[in-house]
């Protein structure tokens, strides 16, 4: 006979060891972002092309795109921390939307300008495959680091958390990519970035859906 | 709940009993009475598992209701999936013409000593068997409920089944 609800309550109460409360989501997200920033500060000098980066920084549109990418990453990670808790609103998923619009609009505008200047040359595939690899290469370790921290909340609706977390991870990777990105935004480049980001989000969502015993 | 997070077992038990009507009413919104109680138990297990996520400065009822609603809907979905792949096998109740073919199942059906054999198992084996096989909890859930490690539960349930099988064959 399965235990009755009464017996189950007794069993649960008997096994109720003290638990450590989670810190507020904003504190946890900030600590996580600071840790990633610290590691990135160590890694970026090894692959960055600061001369190129300085040159691109003179362009206000590039700065806008950079800010949009970084803010999308930060906002999506913060949203994922909030959404991982049972009693927080799913509307947190909308937090990364404004910076995402800024990011897409500024890089879209840069693409358009590039198209006017270089014509169809912008469609050449080449460096863009390296961008794809870089975004994926950054996304895997950052994604694992995010999963390790977010899973402590044992989200009861893991798929949206993973999707928004995936957006954050991909956006942070795209931000780091900008430190050595000699292709000025072309349509194809934007497409490759979008594909990489969607792939990261899809992988995160699929991983979250794999049926498993609750952690 | 805050006291329960700090390890107040009596307070936790009282709380779980007090919230039962709320959980039953939420489960009842999506499930028929005969299934609702299973869902309520599932909600209780989830609450137990995620009790560290409750922030005492926020309303408890909202935290509870969101978990309950979510688990009730999950149960509905998983029932839908199960019913889609399960086939009703009318023949399963029909015995075979060859008496020898029925032997194994009739041995199982007629094992009068099964209850006694289960009762005679050592406590740890009986608990593992009840949680994993009779109550059909997952290993992780059974580990949460019993406080035993997953590997200990696996070993105990394996030993329990082995000794039950030996017992039934002997009879």
């Amino acid at each position: 006979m399965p235990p009755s609800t009464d017996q189950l309550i007794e069993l649960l109460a008997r096994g109720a060891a003290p638990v450590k409360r989670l810190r507020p989501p904003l504190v946890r997200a900030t600590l996580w972002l600071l840790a990633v920033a610290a590691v990135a500060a160590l890694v970026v000098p090894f692959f960055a092309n600061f001369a190129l980066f300085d040159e691109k920084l003179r362009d206000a549109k590039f700065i806008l795109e950079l800010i949009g990418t970084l803010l999308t990453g930060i906002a999506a990670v913060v949203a994922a921390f909030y959404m991982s808790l049972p009693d927080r609103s799913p509307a947190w998923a909308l937090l990364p939307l404004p910076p995402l619009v800024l990011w897409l609009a500024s890089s879209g505008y840069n693409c358009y300008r590039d198209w006017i200047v270089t014509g169809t040359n912008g469609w050449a595939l080449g460096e863009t495959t390296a961008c794809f690899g870089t975004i994926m290469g950054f996304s895997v370790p950052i994604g694992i680091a995010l999963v390790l921290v977010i899973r402590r909340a044992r989200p009861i609706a893991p798929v949206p958390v993973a999707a928004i977390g995936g957006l954050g991870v991909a956006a942070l990777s795209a931000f780091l990519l900008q430190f050595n990105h000699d292709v000025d935004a072309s349509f194809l480049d934007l497409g490759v970035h979008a594909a990489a980001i969607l792939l990261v989000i899809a992988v995160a969502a699929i991983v979250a859906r794999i049926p498993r015993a609750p952690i | 709940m805050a006291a329960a997070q700090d390890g107040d077992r009596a307070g936790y038990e009282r709380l779980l009993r007090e919230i039962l009507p709320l959980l039953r009413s939420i489960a009842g919104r999506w499930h028929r009475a005969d299934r609702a109680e299973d869902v309520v138990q599932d909600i209780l297990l989830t609450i137990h598992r995620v009790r560290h996520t409750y922030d005492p400065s926020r309303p408890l009822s909202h935290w509870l209701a969101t978990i309950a609603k979510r688990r009730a809907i999950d149960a509905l979905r998983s029932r839908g999936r199960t019913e889609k792949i399960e086939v009703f096998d009318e023949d399963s109740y029909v015995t075979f013409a060859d008496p020898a073919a029925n032997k194994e199942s009739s041995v199982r059906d007629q094992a009068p000593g099964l209850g006694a054999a289960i009762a005679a198992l050592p406590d740890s084996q009986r608990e593992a068997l009840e949680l994993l096989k009779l109550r059909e909890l997952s290993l992780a859930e059974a580990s949460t409920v019993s406080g035993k490690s997953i590997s200990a539960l696996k070993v105990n349930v394996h030993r329990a089944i082995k000794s039950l099988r030996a017992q039934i064959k002997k009879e």
Side-chain angles (χ1 to χ4, degrees), chain A residues 101-114:
Chain A
V101 169
L102 173 67
W103 175 19
L104 292 181
S106 56
S107 66
Y109 177 80
N110 287 348
C111 291
Y112 175 68
R113 202 178 43 173
D114 180 72

Side-chain angles (χ1 to χ4, degrees), chain A residues 1-6 8-22 85-88 152-154 156-157 213-215, chain B residues 2 5-7 9 12-13 16-17 20 37 41 44-46 48-56 58 62-63 66-67 70 135 140 145:
Chain A
M1 272 290 283
S4 67
T5 305
D6 259 4
L8 180 67
I9 288 177
E10 269 169 39
L11 274 172
L12 292 177
R14 214 185 304 150
V19 285
K20 195 164 172 275
R21 274 179 216 124
L22 286 181
L85 297 170
D87 57 344
R88 304 298 176 135
R152 282 213 55 222
R154 303 176 188 188
I156 50 171
I215 316 159
Chain B
Q5 287 176 321
D6 296 333
R9 295 191 162 100
Y12 186 46
E13 188 171 341
L16 292 182
R17 287 188 201 287
L20 266 184
E37 203 56 24
Q41 295 195 4
L44 285 170
L45 281 166
T46 307
H48 184 73
R49 209 161 45 228
V50 302
R51 65 191 191 280
H52 64 296
T53 66
Y54 171 65
D55 174 354
R58 295 173 63 82
H62 180 52
W63 184 83
T66 316
I67 295 174
R70 176 78 209 179
R135 170 87 188 98
V145 170

Side-chain angles (χ1 to χ4, degrees), chain B residues 5-161:
Chain B
Q5 287 176 321
D6 296 333
D8 175 1
R9 295 191 162 100
Y12 186 46
E13 188 171 341
R14 214 167 42 243
L15 171 83
L16 292 182
R17 287 188 201 287
E18 274 171 20
I19 60 171
L20 266 184
L22 171 73
L23 304 187
R24 285 191 174 126
S25 88
I26 292 174
R29 259 184 251 164
W30 281 278
H31 297 272
R32 287 204 325 251
D34 57 334
R35 292 205 177 103
E37 203 56 24
D38 275 353
V39 178
V40 168
Q41 295 195 4
D42 189 35
I43 298 170
L44 285 170
L45 281 166
T46 307
I47 288 172
H48 184 73
R49 209 161 45 228
V50 302
R51 65 191 191 280
H52 64 296
T53 66
Y54 171 65
D55 174 354
S57 66
R58 295 173 63 82
L60 176 66
S61 55
H62 180 52
W63 184 83
L64 287 171
T66 316
I67 295 174
K69 199 171 135 190
R70 176 78 209 179
R71 294 306 290 162
I73 294 173
D74 280 351
L76 207 60
R77 283 193 189 135
S78 91
R79 213 189 76 212
R81 276 196 295 272
T82 317
E83 280 174 1
K84 220 162 31 178
I85 51 170
E86 269 183 2
V87 181
F88 179 63
D89 179 10
E90 287 176 19
D91 293 340
S92 63
Y93 296 109
V94 180
T95 51
F96 296 100
D98 176 7
N102 295 319
K103 206 170 146 196
E104 197 181 329
S105 65
S106 48
V107 165
R108 216 183 301 137
D109 294 343
Q110 291 161 12
L114 189 58
I118 291 176
L121 288 172
D123 283 348
S124 56
Q125 290 183 20
R126 195 177 58 245
E127 184 187 26
L129 189 79
E130 273 172 3
L131 292 176
L132 291 168
K133 299 297 172 192
L134 302 181
R135 170 87 188 98
E136 295 183 338
L137 298 185
S138 72
L139 277 166
E141 286 166 342
S143 163
T144 313
V145 170
S146 65
K148 301 229 168 75
S149 73
I150 286 181
S151 48
L153 286 168
K154 277 185 186 170
V155 169
N156 280 326
V157 80
H158 176 73
R159 284 184 185 151
I161 288 176

Side-chain angles (χ1 to χ4, degrees), chain A residues 132-152:
Chain A
F132 188 84
T134 312
I135 291 186
M136 300 313 280
F138 277 127
S139 289
V140 171
I142 300 179
I144 291 173
L146 186 61
V147 169
L148 286 180
V149 181
I150 287 222
R151 74 202 281 269
R152 282 213 55 222

